[in-house]
């Protein structure tokens, strides 16, 4: 059956029918109602039915592997299978488009053991800018386990969370792509074990793999493996081990007959990734954003390949994503890997584990304060200035430590918000039976079910056990 328009569109139509007159034609009332709903953030691309327009998003979009879904947000336009993202834009994937943004409407994607791919054109995404395609462990929940809309959302939607607490809530995050025309980064962020679904702390820095760590791998020009002057395909794979745990995040950048592989695998990442298994089994929310800032803040992404260019509305061109698709075919299992014999510990003051037993330590990577660096005044971005407590809550992010001194005894020349470069450290620590980085499961290994879980279900729905049918082509139209 072909469903009708989203409720916001239907209500706009009812208003137009009841209030239209010769002085105020129905079309004008309809347009005014749509603009009013758009101002409330009710901007949705929908699969069938009437087209409900707004200044936020409009057009049609097709996503392979998904049934009827909605994209909610601002600053994007869809046409066919293509999505154009403007600077300072962001969208989320929903199962319904209601007048009220609800946690039950946020789609959960079940990608453990599967892969997702898309084509991206970053030719106009300049230094200091970041087109992000990522998964988060939402919707956000408070300490009691109730869904929480959040405060100080910084242009993020209600119930948003991530590994840097941008919207006021923590949760695990998998950055499939953070990129511009000069740099591409893949990052996994785990968190402390949740209590009642509420996360109290996450690893802001995460574990990452970056294109700029490889010479001539990625950039604008024919001399690079991936020439960002032209579109290329991104394929992210999430393989499992024999116990059904997440065993790696493997991202392939494909262009013509060339490929660049950015992989989070190996014995040094193994335990970290296993901690993300549960949230991937529970389903993660897809978020696509396009943002940027001062070059110093964006050094985490493009330091070394970009100079002092800032990303602004004047310098940031449109980004284009198309052909988003889910591949249901199960990925080959990845065997667990033990630390190579004789491999030296990262920290020399920690003894190497016994060669006759399993490794008793693991690598921890994190950003820490660097007291050798001088404090400097931080200039707020337009998004940050909307949250009066942003500096107080920031902690360490983007490779900087932030501190709010309230204007008293400021170490950075009188500014209230100071920052200094943080230090990235790696060390080994002992694995125990408790704590965020330790596996506490003592259950025997089991063979994963042969039937894949469905790709998405609404938050409140149970997870069916039947495999999804072959996905039909879906045309989307909407606001």
């Amino acid at each position: 059956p072909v469903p009708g328009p989203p409720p916001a569109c239907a209500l706009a139509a009812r208003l137009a029918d009841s209030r239209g007159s010769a002085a105020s034609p129905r079309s004008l009332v309809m347009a005014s109602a749509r603009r009013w709903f758009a101002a409330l953030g009710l901007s949705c691309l929908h699969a069938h039915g009437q087209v409900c327009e707004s200044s936020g998003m409009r057009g049609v979009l097709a996503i392979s592997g998904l049934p009827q879904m909605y994209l909610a947000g601002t600053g994007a336009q869809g046409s066919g299978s293509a999505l154009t993202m403007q600077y300072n834009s962001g969208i989320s994937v929903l199962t319904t488009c209601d007048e009220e943004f609800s946690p039950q409407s946020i789609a959960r994607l079940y990608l453990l053991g599967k892969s997702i791919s898309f084509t991206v054109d970053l030719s106009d995404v300049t230094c200091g800018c970041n087109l992000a395609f990522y998964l988060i462990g939402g919707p956000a929940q408070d300490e009691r386990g109730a869904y929480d809309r959040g405060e100080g959302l910084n242009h993020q939607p209600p119930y948003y969370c991530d590994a840097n607490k941008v919207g006021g809530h923590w949760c695990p995050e998998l950055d499939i792509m953070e990129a511009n025309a000069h740099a591409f980064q893949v990052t996994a962020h785990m968190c402390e074990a949740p209590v009642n679904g509420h996360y109290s702390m996450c690893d802001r820095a995460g574990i990452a793999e970056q294109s700029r760590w490889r010479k001539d791998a990625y950039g604008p020009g024919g001399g690079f493996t991936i020439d960002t002057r032209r579109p290329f395909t991104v394929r992210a794979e999430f393989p499992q081990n024999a116990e059904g745990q997440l065993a790696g995040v493997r991202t392939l950048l494909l262009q013509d007959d060339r490929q660049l592989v950015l992989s989070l695998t190996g014995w040094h990442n193994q335990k970290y990734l296993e901690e993300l298994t549960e949230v991937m089994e529970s389903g993660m929310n897809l978020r696509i954003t396009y943002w940027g800032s001062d070059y110093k803040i964006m050094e985490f992404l493009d330091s070394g390949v970009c100079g002092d260019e800032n990303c602004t509305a004047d310098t940031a061109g449109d980004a284009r994503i198309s052909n988003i698709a889910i591949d249901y075919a199960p990925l080959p299992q990845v065997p667990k890997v033990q630390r190579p014999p004789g491999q030296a510990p990262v920290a020399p003051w920690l003894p190497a584990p016994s060669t006759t037993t399993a490794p008793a330590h693991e690598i921890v990577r994190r950003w820490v304060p660097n007291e050798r660096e001088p404090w400097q005044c931080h200039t707020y971005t337009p998004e940050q200035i909307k949250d009066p407590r942003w500096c107080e809550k920031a902690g360490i992010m983007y490779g900087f430590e932030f501190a709010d001194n309230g204007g008293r005894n400021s170490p950075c020349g009188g500014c209230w918000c100071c920052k200094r470069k943080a230090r990235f450290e790696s060390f080994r620590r002992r694995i125990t039976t408790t704590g965020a980085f330790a596996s506490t499961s003592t259950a025997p290994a089991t063979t994963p079910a042969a039937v894949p879980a469905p790709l998405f279900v609404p938050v409140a729905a149970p997870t069916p056990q039947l495999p999804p049918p072959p996905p039909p082509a879906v045309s989307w139209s909407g606001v």
Side-chain angles (χ1 to χ4, degrees), residues 228-249:
T228 56
R229 298 175 303 177
R230 300 186 293 117
F232 58 93
T233 298
V234 178
R235 176 183 169 89
E237 301 176 345
F238 305 95
Q240 298 167 278
N241 57 31
E243 287 75 32
Q245 298 167 313
L246 178 65
V249 178

Side-chain angles (χ1 to χ4, degrees), residues 349-425:
W349 58 86
L350 290 179
S354 168
T355 57
T356 60
T357 60
H361 300 85
E362 61 192 346
I363 289 182
V364 176
R365 295 178 172 88
R366 65 184 183 186
W367 290 96
V368 297
N370 188 353
E371 296 180 355
R372 295 183 179 181
E373 290 290 335
W375 289 102
Q376 53 187 296
C377 185
H378 173 62
T379 301
Y380 288 93
T381 66
E383 293 78 21
Q384 295 167 359
I385 203 170
K386 294 179 180 180
D387 181 2
R389 299 182 57 198
W390 182 89
C391 190
E392 177 185 343
K393 298 183 294 184
I396 296 179
M397 64 171 60
Y398 314 130
F400 283 84
E401 176 189 3
F402 295 86
D404 185 344
N405 56 73
R408 298 181 298 274
N409 301 319
S410 172
C412 57
C415 289
W416 285 42
C417 186
C418 301
K419 68 180 179 183
R420 63 182 176 187
K421 288 186 177 180
R423 177 169 57 88
F424 187 71
E425 69 173 13

Side-chain angles (χ1 to χ4, degrees), residues 134-181:
Y134 60 106
L135 304 170
I136 54 175
Q141 295 174 252
D142 62 20
E143 293 86 349
R144 300 169 299 168
Y147 292 122
D148 192 338
R149 292 178 60 90
E151 299 179 0
L153 294 176
N154 290 326
H155 278 245
Q156 303 299 340
Y159 308 102
Y160 178 81
C161 60
D162 64 20
N164 274 288
K165 205 180 181 181
V166 172
H169 278 287
W170 301 99
C171 69
E173 178 180 343
L174 281 170
D175 300 320
I176 294 171
M177 174 182 74
E178 289 188 285
N180 56 40

Side-chain angles (χ1 to χ4, degrees), residues 104 110 457-464:
Q104 288 78 14
Y110 294 83
V457 293
V459 170
T463 303

Side-chain angles (χ1 to χ4, degrees), residues 63 66 69-72 91-95 105-107 109 286 476:
I63 297 182
L66 292 179
M69 302 288 282
Y70 303 86
L71 296 184
I91 59 174
S92 300
V93 178
L94 309 181
T95 58
S105 69
I106 304 173
L109 305 188
L286 175 61
W476 296 28

Side-chain angles (χ1 to χ4, degrees), residues 284-298:
M284 301 186 75
N285 312 148
L286 175 61
R287 181 82 176 146
I288 307 174
T289 60
Y290 182 11
W291 62 284
S293 186
D294 177 273
Y295 76 94
K296 293 181 179 179
I297 289 180
M298 303 307 293

Side-chain angles (χ1 to χ4, degrees), residues 96-141:
T96 61
C97 183
D98 302 322
E99 283 83 355
E100 180 69 21
F101 201 113
S102 69
Q104 288 78 14
S105 69
I106 304 173
R108 295 194 180 194
L109 305 188
Y110 294 83
L111 296 178
L112 185 61
K114 304 180 180 68
S115 61
I116 185 170
S117 63
F118 54 91
T119 300
V120 64
D121 184 349
L122 297 166
S123 57
D124 295 324
V125 183
T126 57
C127 284
C129 300
N130 182 8
L131 180 66
F133 188 105
Y134 60 106
L135 304 170
I136 54 175
Q141 295 174 252

